[in-house]
Amino acid sequence: MRSLAVFTKLRGDEVSGCDAVLSDLDFFKKYQINVYTGDVSAYIKDADVVVYSSAISEKDVNFLFAKLLGKKLVSRGEFLGEIASSYDKVIAVAGAHGKTTTTALIYNILKDKNPTLHLGGVLKEEGSCFVYGDKEFFITEACEYHDNFLYLKPYIGVITNIEKEHLDYFKTFENELASFDKYRKNCKFVVEGDGGFEIKNIHHKDMKLCFDIYKGEEKVMSLKMNICEEVNVNNALFAYRACKILGCSDNDIKNGLESFKGVKRRFEEVVSLYIKEVIVDYAHHPTEIKGTITTAKKLFEKVVFVFQPHTYSRTKELLDDFINVFSKEKDVVIFKTFPARETEKDGVSGETLAKKIGCLYFEDVKNLVNYLKEKYSSYAVVFMGAGDLPKLLEEEKFIKTY
């Protein structure tokens, strides 16, 4: 949402916003965007258009007030589609996992062409979730929640993978698959599957991910990347294939992939005064968690995994998968659920998940920190989840990002 706010401001509109919790106020101040919390009816009265996130309940008082006044209400997905439509070529990345990194990799390859970027994470090098560039390329994530990705008309549409996700909206996996079929039809070119390529010789060297890309018997290129999670071999291949459609040379693609510094909270190494090694990762789906665990166990001799579930409905829908992936590990801790748009009655809590796994559960970050200091100071600690735990850990001065 904040990227869209800045895009709108930079094209000449007056912009203000509201959120449940105020954060990044210095960021908004830089662009002269006022952000409020609570009752913002006075600002809604003056608005020509009200853009809302799918995370906002239709029972939200500000949403209801805007509706009562007959304001033009536009969803985030629809508004993103409107902005994207003013660019010559839209490159959109959809899928259950890998969207953010794949989108960022494509941007890094095309960086010399001054593309515009709309990202669901923060680039380490730029320190931003967006780049306002020229009008030729618009590179964005394409989120399937509430069918938001169907507002996009991509020149290139990437589908990294499809798994059961957002079933609070789709209800069935079949409905989700049908939406992805519609997304494919909106794209001029679609990049998915392996495309006849093969990844070989995957290994790590100095926390860097090394591998070779082959097409048949021919080696296309060898890569040594600054990101170390093994799932990124697939993300890199998607980025390679998308950029080949755009006419990029193998040399430019290799340089773009190898110079990529990564995205915050994607297997990000952070500093702690109390723990030997600390990793913060966005993994919140069982498949993502499994990949993070696999990489961590290859890199570290002793490791403990701390997971914060993201939404009660996801935990309920994928409960057996969560239990399966965590029950195989000796050292696991569960932190209280990040509810996002939900309440506990919408699904299964983190406490219930911990009981099913048979591991410790914490609701208070101070107690969690003290426990980790006492028992795991000589371990690598991997924090996983899409919630607010990293922010809470920073507030406790337990971790500090670079």
Side-chain angles (χ1 to χ4, degrees):
M1 288 289 287
R2 72 177 191 171
S3 301
L4 298 183
V6 173
F7 287 147
T8 310
K9 181 72 175 183
L10 292 176
R11 75 180 185 184
D13 295 313
E14 288 300 317
V15 183
S16 62
C18 66
D19 205 347
V21 179
L22 297 182
S23 60
D24 297 326
L25 292 182
D26 288 341
F27 169 86
F28 291 112
K29 187 177 180 180
K30 176 182 176 183
Y31 294 98
Q32 297 180 310
I33 296 174
N34 293 321
V35 183
Y36 311 95
T37 190
D39 181 357
V40 294
S41 55
Y43 306 100
I44 289 175
K45 283 180 181 178
D46 294 332
D48 297 306
V49 180
V50 177
V51 182
Y52 64 93
S53 161
S54 298
I56 298 296
S57 167
E58 292 190 359
K59 297 179 182 178
D60 178 83
V61 291
N62 293 312
F63 183 92
L64 289 172
F65 185 70
K67 198 171 183 179
L68 181 67
L69 292 180
K71 294 293 181 179
K72 181 180 179 180
L73 285 159
V74 180
S75 71
R76 185 203 71 89
E78 185 178 357
F79 197 63
L80 175 62
E82 176 195 321
I83 289 174
S85 67
S86 65
Y87 288 79
D88 294 340
K89 290 184 175 66
V90 175
I91 300 100
V93 182
H97 327 296
K99 289 191 293 291
T100 300
T101 301
T102 302
T103 304
L105 285 168
I106 292 170
Y107 163 76
N108 211 59
I109 294 168
L110 297 175
K111 191 185 288 190
D112 288 345
K113 301 181 186 299
N114 196 27
T116 293
L117 173 69
H118 175 260
L119 195 66
V122 177
L123 290 169
K124 286 184 181 179
E125 189 169 0
E126 280 81 355
S128 177
C129 58
F130 75 96
V131 176
Y132 195 77
D134 290 339
K135 286 290 186 178
E136 183 176 7
F137 297 111
F138 185 83
I139 310 166
T140 183
E141 294 184 43
C143 178
E144 72 271 25
Y145 190 51
H146 280 253
D147 282 327
N148 281 320
F149 63 171
L150 299 185
Y151 291 109
L152 296 166
K153 308 296 180 187
Y155 180 74
I156 299 174
V158 179
I159 301 175
T160 58
N161 41 62
I162 306 174
E163 287 199 50
K164 292 180 181 178
E165 183 66 302
H166 300 306
L167 295 184
D168 57 320
Y169 168 71
F170 286 114
K171 306 305 180 188
T172 68
F173 188 45
E174 287 70 27
N175 289 340
E176 184 181 350
L177 291 172
S179 285
F180 271 93
D181 280 339
K182 293 176 184 176
Y183 172 73
R184 289 185 183 95
K185 291 174 183 176
N186 282 349
C187 305
K188 182 170 183 178
F189 297 98
V190 178
V191 175
E192 63 180 321
D194 60 23
F197 291 86
E198 186 178 358
I199 304 294
K200 297 182 180 181
N201 307 320
I202 302 172
H203 62 283
H204 292 92
K205 185 175 182 181
D206 303 324
M207 291 287 285
K208 294 179 184 287
L209 180 63
C210 306
F211 58 96
D212 301 323
I213 298 177
Y214 277 78
K215 185 72 179 284
E217 297 298 317
E218 180 187 355
K219 182 193 286 188
V220 177
M221 68 176 63
S222 294
L223 291 165
K224 185 178 181 181
M225 299 183 66
N226 295 307
I227 47 181
C228 61
E229 268 195 288
E230 290 189 15
V231 294
N232 286 315
V233 299
N234 296 319
N235 298 333
L237 182 56
F238 287 127
Y240 169 85
R241 291 168 57 198
C243 289
K244 289 301 288 184
I245 292 173
L246 296 172
C248 297
S249 68
D250 282 0
N251 186 59
D252 286 345
I253 293 174
K254 179 179 172 67
N255 289 338
L257 293 174
E258 292 192 327
S259 65
F260 180 61
K261 304 299 183 186
V263 179
K264 285 185 175 292
R265 291 186 67 176
R266 270 61 177 186
F267 213 86
E268 180 185 11
E269 190 175 11
V270 299
V271 176
S272 174
L273 295 175
Y274 311 100
I275 303 293
K276 186 179 179 181
E277 303 275 0
V278 179
I279 301 294
V280 175
D281 194 78
Y282 200 72
H284 56 283
H285 184 283
T287 300
E288 296 167 345
I289 292 165
K290 184 178 179 181
T292 299
I293 289 174
T294 298
T295 297
K297 289 169 74 172
K298 287 184 178 181
L299 294 173
F300 307 116
E301 185 178 348
K302 297 188 298 182
V303 58
V304 56
F305 300 99
V306 182
F307 175 59
Q308 181 185 33
H310 187 270
T311 72
Y312 299 102
S313 61
R314 179 182 283 111
T315 309
K316 178 182 178 181
E317 293 291 347
L318 303 174
L319 183 61
D320 289 342
D321 296 321
F322 281 118
I323 293 170
N324 182 55
V325 74
F326 281 121
S327 61
K328 298 173 183 176
E329 305 307 318
K330 178 185 173 185
D331 296 286
V332 175
V333 177
I334 303 296
F335 189 67
K336 66 178 178 182
T337 301
F338 184 78
R341 54 196 170 268
E342 300 179 346
T343 61
E344 191 169 341
K345 66 178 175 30
D346 293 313
V348 171
S349 69
E351 185 174 14
T352 299
L353 175 61
K355 288 177 181 177
K356 296 278 188 182
I357 298 167
C359 70
L360 283 179
Y361 170 78
F362 289 90
E363 288 198 348
D364 185 276
V365 70
K366 293 182 186 291
N367 293 336
L368 171 63
V369 163
N370 289 333
Y371 174 71
L372 294 173
K373 287 179 184 177
E374 181 181 337
K375 186 169 182 180
Y376 291 107
S377 61
S378 63
Y379 280 59
V381 180
V382 178
F383 295 100
M384 295 182 290
D388 62 353
L389 182 53
K391 180 174 177 287
L392 297 175
L393 293 167
E394 286 212 64
E395 290 173 355
E396 285 297 312
K397 302 190 186 312
F398 182 73
I399 65 170
K400 180 176 178 58
T401 57
Y402 288 111

